[in-house]
Amino acid sequence: MKKLLIALLAFSSSAFAQEHHPLEGAWDLTVAMENRNGGVSSAPSWLEVRHSGHKTLFGHFVGDGGSSRPIAEVFFKDGHVSFKIPPQWEKEEAYLSFEGDLKDGKLSGTIVKPNGKAMAFTGVRAPSLLRTQAPVWGKPISLLNGKDLTGWKALGPKNQWVVENGVMKSPASGANICTEQKFTDFKLHIEFRLPPASNSGVYLRGRYEVQVEDSYGKEPYSIYLGGIYGFIDPLFQAAKPSGEWQTYDITLVGRKVSVTLNGQKVIVESNIPGITGGAMDSDEAAPGPIMIQGDHGPVEYRNIIITPAK
């Protein structure tokens, strides 16, 4: 009787075990996109695939813009992967179509956007970024000299950013801007001020956006102030009214992020799954700059201080 019970338990465990699928996990994608000049440039993208039960695959996708989008079902057969998702910010009604092949541990294929444009992509598995030791912090570095844009570079044909009285400001929508220095793990202190209904963002390593938005009185949500855009909701909304100076204190170690907004901890050691829309690239293992969004409306920043890990 005892042997029969053990056999039944073993069968039950094997019958309901969920095996890891070869496509499962996170993928950093690089997409060949047509640029404004008619040429081709690279844009980052991201895909995550998981399993549900024995047969069904589902996931999340981040394009060159917008937030992480759910994929109800990912289809995979004989090394070929495909899915379709509805438009997000696009004006067209057609679905985005993803077709690719998994070969030798890499992905390649074509993405067709809702406007009908086809773009080739390649993909590699995203790194874990797991840190086995606690960071040892170096000396704080002021990233803003209070006089001019030394140490910063605009990411667009027209630079609208100026520095006045210690404040770096974007008076109107225009180019994003980033530091010339690149960083891996760090603590970041940054202060900002927004007019009503404006929007910006602070990109950690140029890849992970901590949202900056006029969010006073709104519910906590990843696309509002305090959130990691499209991925992590703040625990509660700690926003001040527009027109007031506000403060972020952010720690990023590997994928693990903690965010304090206006002195209140709103994200505590949460893992960022992947790049957010608008990232500079998808090379997650590499160091990257601090990028600030300037293409969504007026915004001001001051007292930008970073403490890198040694």
Side-chain angles (χ1 to χ4, degrees), residues 129 131 135 137 181-188 203-208 250-256 283-290 306-310:
L129 303 184
R131 306 297 193 239
W137 301 111
Q181 285 183 274
K182 295 183 178 182
F183 308 94
T184 303
D185 296 342
F186 54 81
K187 295 189 290 185
L188 177 68
Y203 281 75
L204 314 178
R205 299 192 199 116
R207 301 181 190 107
Y208 315 116
I250 303 163
T251 301
L252 180 66
V253 178
R255 293 190 180 279
K256 199 173 293 295
D283 186 4
E284 292 191 84
I290 301 300
I306 195 166
T307 304
K310 291 183 178 179

PDB file of all heavy atoms in Angstrom, residues 129 131 135 137 181-188 203-208 250-256 283-290 306-310:
ATOM      1  N   LEU A 129      21.269  40.541 -14.273  1.00  0.00           N
ATOM      2  CA  LEU A 129      21.761  41.696 -13.520  1.00  0.00           C
ATOM      3  C   LEU A 129      21.752  41.445 -12.007  1.00  0.00           C
ATOM      4  O   LEU A 129      21.704  42.388 -11.211  1.00  0.00           O
ATOM      5  CB  LEU A 129      20.962  42.962 -13.841  1.00  0.00           C
ATOM      6  CG  LEU A 129      20.924  43.380 -15.318  1.00  0.00           C
ATOM      7  CD1 LEU A 129      20.185  44.694 -15.480  1.00  0.00           C
ATOM      8  CD2 LEU A 129      22.313  43.492 -15.906  1.00  0.00           C
ATOM      9  N   ARG A 131      23.079  40.925  -8.463  1.00  0.00           N
ATOM     10  CA  ARG A 131      24.269  41.318  -7.707  1.00  0.00           C
ATOM     11  C   ARG A 131      24.393  40.409  -6.485  1.00  0.00           C
ATOM     12  O   ARG A 131      23.427  40.230  -5.736  1.00  0.00           O
ATOM     13  CB  ARG A 131      24.179  42.772  -7.253  1.00  0.00           C
ATOM     14  CG  ARG A 131      23.898  43.770  -8.383  1.00  0.00           C
ATOM     15  CD  ARG A 131      24.986  43.803  -9.420  1.00  0.00           C
ATOM     16  NE  ARG A 131      24.871  44.947 -10.299  1.00  0.00           N
ATOM     17  CZ  ARG A 131      24.739  44.890 -11.609  1.00  0.00           C
ATOM     18  NH1 ARG A 131      24.692  43.701 -12.214  1.00  0.00           N
ATOM     19  NH2 ARG A 131      24.649  45.995 -12.340  1.00  0.00           N
ATOM     20  N   PRO A 135      26.421  46.932  -2.667  1.00  0.00           N
ATOM     21  CA  PRO A 135      27.317  47.926  -3.263  1.00  0.00           C
ATOM     22  C   PRO A 135      28.113  48.683  -2.211  1.00  0.00           C
ATOM     23  O   PRO A 135      27.662  48.879  -1.074  1.00  0.00           O
ATOM     24  CB  PRO A 135      26.362  48.857  -4.005  1.00  0.00           C
ATOM     25  CG  PRO A 135      25.058  48.718  -3.274  1.00  0.00           C
ATOM     26  CD  PRO A 135      24.999  47.296  -2.821  1.00  0.00           C
ATOM     27  N   TRP A 137      29.502  52.379  -1.897  1.00  0.00           N
ATOM     28  CA  TRP A 137      29.234  53.640  -2.568  1.00  0.00           C
ATOM     29  C   TRP A 137      30.463  54.535  -2.625  1.00  0.00           C
ATOM     30  O   TRP A 137      31.244  54.604  -1.679  1.00  0.00           O
ATOM     31  CB  TRP A 137      28.080  54.377  -1.883  1.00  0.00           C
ATOM     32  CG  TRP A 137      26.818  53.572  -1.865  1.00  0.00           C
ATOM     33  CD1 TRP A 137      26.199  53.014  -0.793  1.00  0.00           C
ATOM     34  CD2 TRP A 137      26.021  53.215  -3.006  1.00  0.00           C
ATOM     35  NE1 TRP A 137      25.070  52.338  -1.169  1.00  0.00           N
ATOM     36  CE2 TRP A 137      24.925  52.432  -2.529  1.00  0.00           C
ATOM     37  CE3 TRP A 137      26.109  53.468  -4.371  1.00  0.00           C
ATOM     38  CZ2 TRP A 137      23.950  51.919  -3.370  1.00  0.00           C
ATOM     39  CZ3 TRP A 137      25.129  52.959  -5.213  1.00  0.00           C
ATOM     40  CH2 TRP A 137      24.068  52.195  -4.706  1.00  0.00           C
ATOM     41  N   GLN A 181      28.435  61.230 -18.993  1.00  0.00           N
ATOM     42  CA  GLN A 181      28.930  60.110 -18.197  1.00  0.00           C
ATOM     43  C   GLN A 181      27.913  58.970 -18.188  1.00  0.00           C
ATOM     44  O   GLN A 181      26.707  59.191 -18.293  1.00  0.00           O
ATOM     45  CB  GLN A 181      29.185  60.538 -16.751  1.00  0.00           C
ATOM     46  CG  GLN A 181      30.437  61.372 -16.538  1.00  0.00           C
ATOM     47  CD  GLN A 181      30.628  61.684 -15.072  1.00  0.00           C
ATOM     48  OE1 GLN A 181      30.081  62.644 -14.542  1.00  0.00           O
ATOM     49  NE2 GLN A 181      31.414  60.858 -14.394  1.00  0.00           N
ATOM     50  N   LYS A 182      28.427  57.754 -18.032  1.00  0.00           N
ATOM     51  CA  LYS A 182      27.584  56.575 -17.925  1.00  0.00           C
ATOM     52  C   LYS A 182      27.801  55.908 -16.571  1.00  0.00           C
ATOM     53  O   LYS A 182      28.892  56.005 -16.005  1.00  0.00           O
ATOM     54  CB  LYS A 182      27.871  55.599 -19.069  1.00  0.00           C
ATOM     55  CG  LYS A 182      27.499  56.151 -20.439  1.00  0.00           C
ATOM     56  CD  LYS A 182      27.735  55.127 -21.527  1.00  0.00           C
ATOM     57  CE  LYS A 182      27.308  55.685 -22.889  1.00  0.00           C
ATOM     58  NZ  LYS A 182      27.482  54.688 -23.976  1.00  0.00           N
ATOM     59  N   PHE A 183      26.775  55.220 -16.094  1.00  0.00           N
ATOM     60  CA  PHE A 183      26.805  54.656 -14.752  1.00  0.00           C
ATOM     61  C   PHE A 183      26.208  53.248 -14.761  1.00  0.00           C
ATOM     62  O   PHE A 183      25.433  52.886 -15.638  1.00  0.00           O
ATOM     63  CB  PHE A 183      26.013  55.539 -13.789  1.00  0.00           C
ATOM     64  CG  PHE A 183      26.419  56.996 -13.831  1.00  0.00           C
ATOM     65  CD1 PHE A 183      25.747  57.900 -14.643  1.00  0.00           C
ATOM     66  CD2 PHE A 183      27.499  57.435 -13.088  1.00  0.00           C
ATOM     67  CE1 PHE A 183      26.119  59.237 -14.690  1.00  0.00           C
ATOM     68  CE2 PHE A 183      27.888  58.776 -13.119  1.00  0.00           C
ATOM     69  CZ  PHE A 183      27.194  59.666 -13.922  1.00  0.00           C
ATOM     70  N   THR A 184      26.571  52.477 -13.746  1.00  0.00           N
ATOM     71  CA  THR A 184      26.024  51.126 -13.584  1.00  0.00           C
ATOM     72  C   THR A 184      25.044  51.118 -12.420  1.00  0.00           C
ATOM     73  O   THR A 184      23.847  51.271 -12.595  1.00  0.00           O
ATOM     74  CB  THR A 184      27.156  50.104 -13.400  1.00  0.00           C
ATOM     75  OG1 THR A 184      28.038  50.180 -14.518  1.00  0.00           O
ATOM     76  CG2 THR A 184      26.609  48.686 -13.339  1.00  0.00           C
ATOM     77  N   ASP A 185      25.522  50.947 -11.190  1.00  0.00           N
ATOM     78  CA  ASP A 185      24.672  51.019 -10.000  1.00  0.00           C
ATOM     79  C   ASP A 185      24.901  52.359  -9.322  1.00  0.00           C
ATOM     80  O   ASP A 185      26.040  52.854  -9.263  1.00  0.00           O
ATOM     81  CB  ASP A 185      24.996  49.874  -9.045  1.00  0.00           C
ATOM     82  CG  ASP A 185      24.685  48.505  -9.647  1.00  0.00           C
ATOM     83  OD1 ASP A 185      23.922  48.451 -10.629  1.00  0.00           O
ATOM     84  OD2 ASP A 185      25.214  47.498  -9.141  1.00  0.00           O
ATOM     85  N   PHE A 186      23.838  52.931  -8.763  1.00  0.00           N
ATOM     86  CA  PHE A 186      23.987  54.286  -8.210  1.00  0.00           C
ATOM     87  C   PHE A 186      22.808  54.646  -7.311  1.00  0.00           C
ATOM     88  O   PHE A 186      21.755  53.992  -7.315  1.00  0.00           O
ATOM     89  CB  PHE A 186      24.095  55.315  -9.334  1.00  0.00           C
ATOM     90  CG  PHE A 186      22.975  55.256 -10.336  1.00  0.00           C
ATOM     91  CD1 PHE A 186      21.744  55.860 -10.090  1.00  0.00           C
ATOM     92  CD2 PHE A 186      23.141  54.581 -11.533  1.00  0.00           C
ATOM     93  CE1 PHE A 186      20.713  55.800 -11.015  1.00  0.00           C
ATOM     94  CE2 PHE A 186      22.110  54.506 -12.472  1.00  0.00           C
ATOM     95  CZ  PHE A 186      20.899  55.124 -12.206  1.00  0.00           C
ATOM     96  N   LYS A 187      23.012  55.728  -6.578  1.00  0.00           N
ATOM     97  CA  LYS A 187      21.936  56.432  -5.878  1.00  0.00           C
ATOM     98  C   LYS A 187      21.796  57.801  -6.553  1.00  0.00           C
ATOM     99  O   LYS A 187      22.800  58.461  -6.820  1.00  0.00           O
ATOM    100  CB  LYS A 187      22.263  56.593  -4.390  1.00  0.00           C
ATOM    101  CG  LYS A 187      22.345  55.284  -3.627  1.00  0.00           C
ATOM    102  CD  LYS A 187      22.462  55.489  -2.125  1.00  0.00           C
ATOM    103  CE  LYS A 187      23.814  56.071  -1.735  1.00  0.00           C
ATOM    104  NZ  LYS A 187      23.973  56.152  -0.266  1.00  0.00           N
ATOM    105  N   LEU A 188      20.570  58.208  -6.808  1.00  0.00           N
ATOM    106  CA  LEU A 188      20.332  59.458  -7.527  1.00  0.00           C
ATOM    107  C   LEU A 188      19.368  60.338  -6.736  1.00  0.00           C
ATOM    108  O   LEU A 188      18.286  59.899  -6.344  1.00  0.00           O
ATOM    109  CB  LEU A 188      19.741  59.177  -8.910  1.00  0.00           C
ATOM    110  CG  LEU A 188      19.371  60.404  -9.753  1.00  0.00           C
ATOM    111  CD1 LEU A 188      20.627  61.166 -10.179  1.00  0.00           C
ATOM    112  CD2 LEU A 188      18.555  59.989 -10.979  1.00  0.00           C
ATOM    113  N   TYR A 203      15.279  58.656 -16.930  1.00  0.00           N
ATOM    114  CA  TYR A 203      15.644  57.315 -17.390  1.00  0.00           C
ATOM    115  C   TYR A 203      16.942  56.862 -16.734  1.00  0.00           C
ATOM    116  O   TYR A 203      17.998  57.470 -16.953  1.00  0.00           O
ATOM    117  CB  TYR A 203      15.805  57.300 -18.905  1.00  0.00           C
ATOM    118  CG  TYR A 203      14.505  57.243 -19.668  1.00  0.00           C
ATOM    119  CD1 TYR A 203      13.694  58.369 -19.776  1.00  0.00           C
ATOM    120  CD2 TYR A 203      14.092  56.069 -20.296  1.00  0.00           C
ATOM    121  CE1 TYR A 203      12.503  58.325 -20.491  1.00  0.00           C
ATOM    122  CE2 TYR A 203      12.903  56.012 -21.018  1.00  0.00           C
ATOM    123  CZ  TYR A 203      12.121  57.140 -21.105  1.00  0.00           C
ATOM    124  OH  TYR A 203      10.941  57.090 -21.811  1.00  0.00           O
ATOM    125  N   LEU A 204      16.865  55.810 -15.937  1.00  0.00           N
ATOM    126  CA  LEU A 204      18.017  55.249 -15.255  1.00  0.00           C
ATOM    127  C   LEU A 204      18.809  54.388 -16.233  1.00  0.00           C
ATOM    128  O   LEU A 204      18.245  53.521 -16.896  1.00  0.00           O
ATOM    129  CB  LEU A 204      17.557  54.421 -14.068  1.00  0.00           C
ATOM    130  CG  LEU A 204      16.489  55.062 -13.161  1.00  0.00           C
ATOM    131  CD1 LEU A 204      16.096  54.099 -12.050  1.00  0.00           C
ATOM    132  CD2 LEU A 204      16.976  56.387 -12.589  1.00  0.00           C
ATOM    133  N   ARG A 205      20.101  54.634 -16.326  1.00  0.00           N
ATOM    134  CA  ARG A 205      20.959  54.020 -17.355  1.00  0.00           C
ATOM    135  C   ARG A 205      20.424  54.275 -18.755  1.00  0.00           C
ATOM    136  O   ARG A 205      20.741  53.567 -19.701  1.00  0.00           O
ATOM    137  CB  ARG A 205      21.136  52.518 -17.140  1.00  0.00           C
ATOM    138  CG  ARG A 205      21.783  52.112 -15.829  1.00  0.00           C
ATOM    139  CD  ARG A 205      22.194  50.635 -15.833  1.00  0.00           C
ATOM    140  NE  ARG A 205      22.394  50.175 -14.463  1.00  0.00           N
ATOM    141  CZ  ARG A 205      21.661  49.237 -13.863  1.00  0.00           C
ATOM    142  NH1 ARG A 205      20.709  48.611 -14.538  1.00  0.00           N
ATOM    143  NH2 ARG A 205      21.909  48.893 -12.616  1.00  0.00           N
ATOM    144  N   GLY A 206      19.581  55.260 -18.908  1.00  0.00           N
ATOM    145  CA  GLY A 206      18.995  55.563 -20.204  1.00  0.00           C
ATOM    146  C   GLY A 206      17.964  54.552 -20.656  1.00  0.00           C
ATOM    147  O   GLY A 206      17.518  54.592 -21.812  1.00  0.00           O
ATOM    148  N   ARG A 207      17.522  53.650 -19.747  1.00  0.00           N
ATOM    149  CA  ARG A 207      16.658  52.530 -20.153  1.00  0.00           C
ATOM    150  C   ARG A 207      15.379  52.384 -19.340  1.00  0.00           C
ATOM    151  O   ARG A 207      14.406  51.831 -19.839  1.00  0.00           O
ATOM    152  CB  ARG A 207      17.444  51.218 -20.066  1.00  0.00           C
ATOM    153  CG  ARG A 207      18.677  51.210 -20.932  1.00  0.00           C
ATOM    154  CD  ARG A 207      19.447  49.900 -20.875  1.00  0.00           C
ATOM    155  NE  ARG A 207      20.716  50.092 -21.553  1.00  0.00           N
ATOM    156  CZ  ARG A 207      21.887  50.193 -20.942  1.00  0.00           C
ATOM    157  NH1 ARG A 207      21.970  50.052 -19.625  1.00  0.00           N
ATOM    158  NH2 ARG A 207      22.986  50.408 -21.639  1.00  0.00           N
ATOM    159  N   TYR A 208      15.380  52.804 -18.096  1.00  0.00           N
ATOM    160  CA  TYR A 208      14.242  52.549 -17.210  1.00  0.00           C
ATOM    161  C   TYR A 208      13.674  53.890 -16.750  1.00  0.00           C
ATOM    162  O   TYR A 208      14.306  54.615 -15.981  1.00  0.00           O
ATOM    163  CB  TYR A 208      14.675  51.714 -16.005  1.00  0.00           C
ATOM    164  CG  TYR A 208      15.566  50.534 -16.355  1.00  0.00           C
ATOM    165  CD1 TYR A 208      16.891  50.467 -15.891  1.00  0.00           C
ATOM    166  CD2 TYR A 208      15.105  49.496 -17.154  1.00  0.00           C
ATOM    167  CE1 TYR A 208      17.708  49.400 -16.204  1.00  0.00           C
ATOM    168  CE2 TYR A 208      15.917  48.419 -17.478  1.00  0.00           C
ATOM    169  CZ  TYR A 208      17.216  48.373 -17.006  1.00  0.00           C
ATOM    170  OH  TYR A 208      18.030  47.318 -17.320  1.00  0.00           O
ATOM    171  N   ILE A 250      16.454  57.903  -5.622  1.00  0.00           N
ATOM    172  CA  ILE A 250      16.323  56.619  -6.317  1.00  0.00           C
ATOM    173  C   ILE A 250      17.607  55.820  -6.139  1.00  0.00           C
ATOM    174  O   ILE A 250      18.711  56.358  -6.289  1.00  0.00           O
ATOM    175  CB  ILE A 250      16.059  56.843  -7.815  1.00  0.00           C
ATOM    176  CG1 ILE A 250      14.801  57.696  -8.028  1.00  0.00           C
ATOM    177  CG2 ILE A 250      15.945  55.523  -8.559  1.00  0.00           C
ATOM    178  CD1 ILE A 250      14.701  58.302  -9.407  1.00  0.00           C
ATOM    179  N   THR A 251      17.464  54.541  -5.841  1.00  0.00           N
ATOM    180  CA  THR A 251      18.608  53.630  -5.785  1.00  0.00           C
ATOM    181  C   THR A 251      18.393  52.522  -6.803  1.00  0.00           C
ATOM    182  O   THR A 251      17.329  51.894  -6.834  1.00  0.00           O
ATOM    183  CB  THR A 251      18.765  53.010  -4.383  1.00  0.00           C
ATOM    184  OG1 THR A 251      18.949  54.057  -3.415  1.00  0.00           O
ATOM    185  CG2 THR A 251      19.979  52.085  -4.339  1.00  0.00           C
ATOM    186  N   LEU A 252      19.393  52.302  -7.656  1.00  0.00           N
ATOM    187  CA  LEU A 252      19.333  51.237  -8.653  1.00  0.00           C
ATOM    188  C   LEU A 252      20.558  50.349  -8.500  1.00  0.00           C
ATOM    189  O   LEU A 252      21.694  50.808  -8.649  1.00  0.00           O
ATOM    190  CB  LEU A 252      19.288  51.812 -10.068  1.00  0.00           C
ATOM    191  CG  LEU A 252      19.212  50.771 -11.201  1.00  0.00           C
ATOM    192  CD1 LEU A 252      17.887  50.002 -11.142  1.00  0.00           C
ATOM    193  CD2 LEU A 252      19.378  51.425 -12.562  1.00  0.00           C
ATOM    194  N   VAL A 253      20.316  49.065  -8.186  1.00  0.00           N
ATOM    195  CA  VAL A 253      21.382  48.073  -8.061  1.00  0.00           C
ATOM    196  C   VAL A 253      20.967  46.861  -8.890  1.00  0.00           C
ATOM    197  O   VAL A 253      20.016  46.165  -8.543  1.00  0.00           O
ATOM    198  CB  VAL A 253      21.614  47.673  -6.594  1.00  0.00           C
ATOM    199  CG1 VAL A 253      22.701  46.602  -6.495  1.00  0.00           C
ATOM    200  CG2 VAL A 253      21.993  48.893  -5.765  1.00  0.00           C
ATOM    201  N   GLY A 254      21.662  46.616  -9.997  1.00  0.00           N
ATOM    202  CA  GLY A 254      21.213  45.585 -10.923  1.00  0.00           C
ATOM    203  C   GLY A 254      19.861  45.974 -11.472  1.00  0.00           C
ATOM    204  O   GLY A 254      19.692  47.038 -12.057  1.00  0.00           O
ATOM    205  N   ARG A 255      18.855  45.102 -11.274  1.00  0.00           N
ATOM    206  CA  ARG A 255      17.482  45.439 -11.648  1.00  0.00           C
ATOM    207  C   ARG A 255      16.677  45.978 -10.463  1.00  0.00           C
ATOM    208  O   ARG A 255      15.534  46.402 -10.628  1.00  0.00           O
ATOM    209  CB  ARG A 255      16.752  44.200 -12.187  1.00  0.00           C
ATOM    210  CG  ARG A 255      17.270  43.687 -13.497  1.00  0.00           C
ATOM    211  CD  ARG A 255      16.359  42.617 -14.082  1.00  0.00           C
ATOM    212  NE  ARG A 255      16.895  42.156 -15.344  1.00  0.00           N
ATOM    213  CZ  ARG A 255      16.741  42.773 -16.499  1.00  0.00           C
ATOM    214  NH1 ARG A 255      16.036  43.887 -16.547  1.00  0.00           N
ATOM    215  NH2 ARG A 255      17.281  42.303 -17.597  1.00  0.00           N
ATOM    216  N   LYS A 256      17.252  45.924  -9.293  1.00  0.00           N
ATOM    217  CA  LYS A 256      16.502  46.250  -8.080  1.00  0.00           C
ATOM    218  C   LYS A 256      16.457  47.755  -7.875  1.00  0.00           C
ATOM    219  O   LYS A 256      17.491  48.416  -7.774  1.00  0.00           O
ATOM    220  CB  LYS A 256      17.141  45.565  -6.875  1.00  0.00           C
ATOM    221  CG  LYS A 256      16.213  45.444  -5.676  1.00  0.00           C
ATOM    222  CD  LYS A 256      16.840  44.621  -4.587  1.00  0.00           C
ATOM    223  CE  LYS A 256      17.020  43.175  -4.976  1.00  0.00           C
ATOM    224  NZ  LYS A 256      15.721  42.492  -5.196  1.00  0.00           N
ATOM    225  N   ASP A 283      20.692  47.280 -24.467  1.00  0.00           N
ATOM    226  CA  ASP A 283      21.882  46.579 -23.979  1.00  0.00           C
ATOM    227  C   ASP A 283      21.922  46.687 -22.459  1.00  0.00           C
ATOM    228  O   ASP A 283      22.689  47.465 -21.886  1.00  0.00           O
ATOM    229  CB  ASP A 283      23.133  47.174 -24.613  1.00  0.00           C
ATOM    230  CG  ASP A 283      24.399  46.393 -24.270  1.00  0.00           C
ATOM    231  OD1 ASP A 283      24.283  45.341 -23.603  1.00  0.00           O
ATOM    232  OD2 ASP A 283      25.493  46.839 -24.656  1.00  0.00           O
ATOM    233  N   GLU A 284      21.110  45.874 -21.796  1.00  0.00           N
ATOM    234  CA  GLU A 284      20.890  46.063 -20.364  1.00  0.00           C
ATOM    235  C   GLU A 284      22.111  45.803 -19.499  1.00  0.00           C
ATOM    236  O   GLU A 284      22.191  46.276 -18.364  1.00  0.00           O
ATOM    237  CB  GLU A 284      19.728  45.192 -19.900  1.00  0.00           C
ATOM    238  CG  GLU A 284      18.386  45.618 -20.460  1.00  0.00           C
ATOM    239  CD  GLU A 284      17.234  44.914 -19.773  1.00  0.00           C
ATOM    240  OE1 GLU A 284      16.803  45.381 -18.705  1.00  0.00           O
ATOM    241  OE2 GLU A 284      16.791  43.867 -20.306  1.00  0.00           O
ATOM    242  N   ALA A 285      23.059  45.034 -19.987  1.00  0.00           N
ATOM    243  CA  ALA A 285      24.247  44.732 -19.187  1.00  0.00           C
ATOM    244  C   ALA A 285      25.246  45.885 -19.164  1.00  0.00           C
ATOM    245  O   ALA A 285      26.139  45.915 -18.315  1.00  0.00           O
ATOM    246  CB  ALA A 285      24.931  43.474 -19.715  1.00  0.00           C
ATOM    247  N   ALA A 286      25.103  46.828 -20.068  1.00  0.00           N
ATOM    248  CA  ALA A 286      26.074  47.919 -20.190  1.00  0.00           C
ATOM    249  C   ALA A 286      25.716  49.087 -19.275  1.00  0.00           C
ATOM    250  O   ALA A 286      24.545  49.296 -18.945  1.00  0.00           O
ATOM    251  CB  ALA A 286      26.132  48.396 -21.640  1.00  0.00           C
ATOM    252  N   PRO A 287      26.708  49.861 -18.848  1.00  0.00           N
ATOM    253  CA  PRO A 287      26.399  51.100 -18.129  1.00  0.00           C
ATOM    254  C   PRO A 287      25.674  52.067 -19.054  1.00  0.00           C
ATOM    255  O   PRO A 287      25.723  51.930 -20.281  1.00  0.00           O
ATOM    256  CB  PRO A 287      27.781  51.634 -17.729  1.00  0.00           C
ATOM    257  CG  PRO A 287      28.729  51.003 -18.696  1.00  0.00           C
ATOM    258  CD  PRO A 287      28.155  49.669 -19.033  1.00  0.00           C
ATOM    259  N   GLY A 288      24.998  53.028 -18.479  1.00  0.00           N
ATOM    260  CA  GLY A 288      24.256  53.989 -19.295  1.00  0.00           C
ATOM    261  C   GLY A 288      24.141  55.328 -18.590  1.00  0.00           C
ATOM    262  O   GLY A 288      24.427  55.459 -17.395  1.00  0.00           O
ATOM    263  N   PRO A 289      23.694  56.358 -19.311  1.00  0.00           N
ATOM    264  CA  PRO A 289      23.602  57.704 -18.740  1.00  0.00           C
ATOM    265  C   PRO A 289      22.304  57.914 -17.959  1.00  0.00           C
ATOM    266  O   PRO A 289      21.428  57.048 -17.927  1.00  0.00           O
ATOM    267  CB  PRO A 289      23.625  58.583 -19.991  1.00  0.00           C
ATOM    268  CG  PRO A 289      22.900  57.747 -21.011  1.00  0.00           C
ATOM    269  CD  PRO A 289      23.318  56.318 -20.731  1.00  0.00           C
ATOM    270  N   ILE A 290      22.196  59.070 -17.364  1.00  0.00           N
ATOM    271  CA  ILE A 290      20.915  59.548 -16.866  1.00  0.00           C
ATOM    272  C   ILE A 290      20.293  60.356 -18.000  1.00  0.00           C
ATOM    273  O   ILE A 290      20.899  61.316 -18.484  1.00  0.00           O
ATOM    274  CB  ILE A 290      21.078  60.434 -15.618  1.00  0.00           C
ATOM    275  CG1 ILE A 290      21.771  59.658 -14.483  1.00  0.00           C
ATOM    276  CG2 ILE A 290      19.720  60.961 -15.160  1.00  0.00           C
ATOM    277  CD1 ILE A 290      21.043  58.416 -14.027  1.00  0.00           C
ATOM    278  N   ILE A 306      24.448  62.332  -8.143  1.00  0.00           N
ATOM    279  CA  ILE A 306      24.525  60.885  -8.267  1.00  0.00           C
ATOM    280  C   ILE A 306      25.677  60.347  -7.426  1.00  0.00           C
ATOM    281  O   ILE A 306      26.741  60.967  -7.334  1.00  0.00           O
ATOM    282  CB  ILE A 306      24.683  60.473  -9.750  1.00  0.00           C
ATOM    283  CG1 ILE A 306      24.396  58.964  -9.923  1.00  0.00           C
ATOM    284  CG2 ILE A 306      26.050  60.848 -10.302  1.00  0.00           C
ATOM    285  CD1 ILE A 306      24.199  58.565 -11.370  1.00  0.00           C
ATOM    286  N   THR A 307      25.437  59.225  -6.766  1.00  0.00           N
ATOM    287  CA  THR A 307      26.472  58.556  -5.986  1.00  0.00           C
ATOM    288  C   THR A 307      26.665  57.176  -6.599  1.00  0.00           C
ATOM    289  O   THR A 307      25.864  56.258  -6.379  1.00  0.00           O
ATOM    290  CB  THR A 307      26.070  58.416  -4.511  1.00  0.00           C
ATOM    291  OG1 THR A 307      25.770  59.716  -3.981  1.00  0.00           O
ATOM    292  CG2 THR A 307      27.188  57.784  -3.699  1.00  0.00           C
ATOM    293  N   PRO A 308      27.717  56.989  -7.420  1.00  0.00           N
ATOM    294  CA  PRO A 308      27.909  55.704  -8.084  1.00  0.00           C
ATOM    295  C   PRO A 308      28.467  54.664  -7.125  1.00  0.00           C
ATOM    296  O   PRO A 308      29.151  54.980  -6.131  1.00  0.00           O
ATOM    297  CB  PRO A 308      28.925  56.012  -9.183  1.00  0.00           C
ATOM    298  CG  PRO A 308      29.242  57.463  -9.090  1.00  0.00           C
ATOM    299  CD  PRO A 308      28.730  57.968  -7.787  1.00  0.00           C
ATOM    300  N   ALA A 309      28.210  53.402  -7.426  1.00  0.00           N
ATOM    301  CA  ALA A 309      28.858  52.312  -6.709  1.00  0.00           C
ATOM    302  C   ALA A 309      30.287  52.191  -7.222  1.00  0.00           C
ATOM    303  O   ALA A 309      30.568  52.437  -8.387  1.00  0.00           O
ATOM    304  CB  ALA A 309      28.100  51.004  -6.928  1.00  0.00           C
ATOM    305  N   LYS A 310      31.201  51.793  -6.339  1.00  0.00           N
ATOM    306  CA  LYS A 310      32.596  51.637  -6.740  1.00  0.00           C
ATOM    307  C   LYS A 310      32.762  50.393  -7.588  1.00  0.00           C
ATOM    308  O   LYS A 310      32.051  49.403  -7.432  1.00  0.00           O
ATOM    309  CB  LYS A 310      33.488  51.538  -5.485  1.00  0.00           C
ATOM    310  CG  LYS A 310      33.571  52.838  -4.698  1.00  0.00           C
ATOM    311  CD  LYS A 310      34.508  52.675  -3.530  1.00  0.00           C
ATOM    312  CE  LYS A 310      34.654  53.978  -2.742  1.00  0.00           C
ATOM    313  NZ  LYS A 310      35.560  53.836  -1.576  1.00  0.00           N
TER     314      LYS A 310
END
